[in-house]
Amino acid sequence: MNLALGSALASIGLTLPAVAVVSIALNQPLVLGLGPKESVLLALTLLVSVVTLGTGRTTVLQGIVHLVIFAEFLFLAVVP
């Protein structure tokens, strides 16, 4: 499990900055490919994560909020 998480983190952590540098070097716009609903879900997830992890302690309620956001994502993926 540790190897899988490390590989995923390395792929995300190295690929996105490399693509950003190439897009700046080639003077091309960088498009994430997210629609309005996905952008709102991404912003909501980042906001909830900052609030959850900012205190240093988490509760069951905060975990449930994350699960509800994930369930909403799955619902919107199936029913556009």
Side-chain angles (χ1 to χ4, degrees):
M1 185 67 172
N2 211 2
L3 183 62
L5 291 175
S7 296
L9 184 63
S11 296
I12 294 168
L14 296 174
T15 303
L16 290 179
V19 170
V21 167
V22 169
S23 72
I24 291 171
L26 296 177
N27 209 10
Q28 295 288 326
L30 180 63
V31 179
L32 290 176
L34 297 174
K37 289 185 280 189
E38 289 86 5
S39 297
V40 170
L41 279 174
L42 178 63
L44 180 64
T45 302
L46 292 175
L47 178 70
V48 169
S49 297
V50 166
V51 170
T52 299
L53 300 174
T55 61
R57 298 180 142 227
T58 57
T59 64
V60 174
L61 181 61
Q62 291 168 332
I64 291 172
V65 169
H66 282 278
L67 288 175
V68 167
I69 293 172
F70 181 62
E72 182 180 352
F73 166 75
L74 289 177
F75 177 75
L76 289 175
V78 174
V79 181

